[in-house]
Amino acid sequence: MAPRLQLKRALRSAARFPSRIARHSPSELPFVFLRVQVLSCTALAARDRNGFSDPFVVASLLGERHQTPVAKRTVSPTYVPREATWDFPIYLSAAPGLGAVEIVVWDKDTLGKDYLGEAAIPLGEWFAEGRGFGWDDLSNKPFTVNLESTRVGAVVSGAVSVKLGFVKPTQSLAEIEFDEIYAELLKRSRLSLVSAPPTEGVGTISSSSVLEDDGGLSSDEAESDDESDDDYIDALEEIPMQTTPVRVPANTPPQLTVQPSSPPSPT
């Protein structure tokens, strides 16, 4: 298998197994909560014969995900805040794998669902354009993200409106400065294989997945988990290791190298 293809499959495998990248102790308390609210979608693609869709939105962060109710017969749904707002715990030990909030929009069908598009909001853009860090900050306003597609041939259109903000953990008694928390998360974070932007094409599901197994960013190529797991390990084994050169003491006698003789010429 070509190294480039093997690395691509390794990235896909890493997306299916986020515990390899970020894991926290069961006894660890959340450092902070990120509250995510999906307000609405606009101009979604129509997947049903009646010219509409029955869209719902799935939001996920580091393996935890939630979804809105299904909105019937519309391409511009609006969701009730109490049914589309969730608190995602962020653990300090998992910060190195903190990549992006993933948003995937689906059309609910009788026997499954159809893909309507997705978006990724990287950690560095959570509070862009001067948005406040705290959920209740007056400067923390909703913003719109355009939907994209990682699936070959999928017709995707529209955008989703969301709001993000930090919320203090109930276990914490100390005053929390959200700007300092955000700076600490940025310092500890790195490019996450779990939450790569949708244009990277790294995903966790295929179009044939059932409703409950949505997961996050989609993949345009299905493969078995066992094969992906093996590729992940193989790709890691192919990464060159840095070694320290061994120095031979000065008093060590030189090694004799015996050159093999040439084979005799046929008579």
Side-chain angles (χ1 to χ4, degrees):
M1 180 182 298
R4 189 175 185 86
L5 177 59
Q6 195 168 45
L7 178 59
K8 181 180 178 182
R9 291 190 173 182
L11 294 178
R12 230 184 249 123
S13 176
R16 288 194 179 96
F17 300 98
S19 59
R20 289 175 174 162
I21 298 175
R23 180 181 299 175
H24 65 87
S25 169
S27 61
E28 182 181 3
L29 297 178
F31 184 50
V32 72
F33 284 91
L34 179 69
R35 181 165 293 174
V36 177
Q37 182 179 90
V38 176
L39 289 85
S40 61
C41 298
T42 55
L44 297 176
R47 291 287 187 265
D48 299 336
R49 294 181 179 178
N50 58 16
F52 296 101
S53 291
D54 300 319
F56 67 96
V57 182
V58 177
S60 60
L61 179 66
L62 281 179
E64 180 171 339
R65 58 182 180 266
H66 301 277
Q67 71 179 54
T68 68
V70 176
K72 296 291 186 179
R73 295 174 57 85
T74 179
V75 292
S76 295
T78 299
Y79 299 100
V80 179
R82 63 181 176 84
E83 297 177 336
T85 305
W86 316 280
D87 289 347
F88 291 87
I90 296 178
Y91 299 90
L92 198 57
S93 62
L98 191 61
V101 175
E102 299 173 5
I103 305 292
V104 187
V105 185
W106 301 97
D107 167 45
K108 178 67 173 66
D109 286 335
T110 303
L111 300 178
K113 60 183 180 179
D114 292 325
Y115 178 73
L116 291 177
E118 61 191 85
I121 309 170
L123 173 62
E125 298 178 10
W126 286 2
F127 305 106
E129 300 179 356
R131 292 189 292 271
F133 301 104
W135 177 260
D136 295 324
D137 288 355
L138 296 179
S139 58
N140 190 340
K141 304 294 184 180
F143 59 97
T144 300
V145 183
N146 291 330
L147 296 177
E148 301 182 50
S149 172
T150 61
R151 300 191 177 188
V152 177
V155 177
V156 169
S157 65
V160 57
S161 179
V162 298
K163 179 182 177 181
L164 308 179
F166 285 139
V167 177
K168 176 181 176 181
T170 56
Q171 303 94 335
S172 176
L173 299 178
E175 188 66 25
I176 293 181
E177 298 295 338
F178 290 133
D179 58 339
E180 296 179 2
I181 289 179
Y182 186 55
E184 184 66 22
L185 293 177
L186 287 173
K187 183 176 70 173
R188 292 174 178 247
S189 67
R190 60 177 173 79
L191 179 62
S192 173
L193 297 178
V194 179
S195 305
T199 52
E200 296 294 332
V202 179
T204 58
I205 59 173
S206 63
S207 58
S208 60
S209 300
V210 296
L211 179 62
E212 292 77 13
D213 294 335
D214 55 270
L217 299 180
S218 60
S219 171
D220 57 2
E221 183 178 333
E223 60 181 325
S224 68
D225 288 348
D226 292 339
E227 181 183 356
S228 300
D229 201 15
D230 293 339
D231 291 337
Y232 177 87
I233 296 173
D234 293 341
L236 293 181
E237 290 176 348
E238 288 189 0
I239 297 176
M241 300 289 291
Q242 292 185 349
T243 59
T244 303
V246 178
R247 296 184 179 181
V248 180
N251 57 354
T252 302
Q255 299 290 329
L256 296 179
T257 302
V258 180
Q259 298 293 339
S261 60
S262 302
S265 302
T267 58

